[in-house]
Amino acid sequence: MRCRKLVDIGRRQFLTGGAVAAAASATALLPTTTQAQQMPIRARLDYPSEMLANIAELTENVPLDVAYPDDFAPGVLVKFGRAVEGGVGPDADIVGFSTICPHKGFPLIYDEDDRTFSCPGHYSRFDPEAGGMQIWGQATQNLPQYILRVESNGDIFAEGVDELLYGRLSNMF
């Protein structure tokens, strides 16, 4: 005895029906125009705003050790004495960077003579005056740069980081 509700379909009909069902499911998951207008668009994570130093603490071409976005992320602030890419302050000459090489996580060394960060592990070099651009070596990304703001009293605050810090899936815990 055979079931009367059994439908005999071929492979082509089965695949067509499956494709239609998948398309309908995907369409149902898309936000409507009203929902899309209400959804915030974020290009990066929310970072804590944190005071790192005051302009008075900086000496030209001498890095000041800081940590951001947490105590496990060493970095520096550097004042160059002339406007640089991403610079803040009255002369747009203050920048901040992570001091962990984005290639393999070695601690970077600042060379005051040629104003670059160098990695002792695989010899990558980064130019902090050009936004932390990699200028030599094995690294495949630029040095993570802090997004800074300066208050009228000279306090320097970090608001975020423009690249992913080495060894993290995100820049926050």
Side-chain angles (χ1 to χ4, degrees):
M1 182 165 186
R2 194 166 178 196
C3 177
R4 284 185 245 155
K5 297 189 183 202
L6 182 66
V7 178
D8 186 23
I9 62 172
R11 181 176 55 171
R12 184 171 296 178
Q13 287 175 316
F14 175 77
L15 292 175
T16 301
V20 169
S25 296
T27 303
L29 295 175
L30 293 174
T32 63
T33 304
T34 307
Q35 290 171 329
Q37 291 170 347
Q38 294 173 356
M39 293 171 58
I41 298 173
R42 296 186 181 188
R44 64 176 74 130
L45 298 169
D46 288 329
Y47 291 90
S49 179
E50 185 177 326
M51 188 181 116
L52 300 179
N54 188 284
I55 291 176
E57 298 174 61
L58 299 177
T59 303
E60 189 174 316
N61 199 29
V62 177
L64 176 69
D65 290 331
V66 295
Y68 183 79
D70 53 52
D71 292 338
F72 304 105
V76 294
L77 294 176
V78 184
K79 178 177 177 57
F80 285 106
R82 64 177 179 253
V84 296
E85 187 177 326
V88 298
D91 300 321
D93 65 341
I94 300 168
V95 289
F97 292 95
S98 166
T99 54
I100 300 297
C101 183
H103 176 234
K104 292 286 183 180
F106 285 88
L108 299 175
I109 300 164
Y110 183 70
D111 184 338
E112 293 177 10
D113 293 331
D114 70 359
R115 296 180 177 220
T116 61
F117 287 100
S118 299
C119 177
H122 297 100
Y123 311 110
S124 291
R125 291 180 58 219
F126 304 90
D127 184 354
E129 294 177 286
M133 181 172 56
Q134 181 211 356
I135 54 177
W136 182 259
Q138 302 290 323
T140 58
Q141 76 179 52
N142 295 331
L143 197 57
Q145 184 171 7
Y146 299 156
I147 298 163
L148 301 174
R149 75 176 160 83
V150 177
E151 300 253 315
S152 59
N153 65 358
D155 288 342
I156 304 167
F157 286 82
E159 303 288 326
V161 182
D162 72 349
E163 298 271 351
L164 185 62
L165 298 175
Y166 176 80
R168 298 185 182 204
L169 299 176
S170 73
N171 284 337
M172 302 300 293
F173 285 132

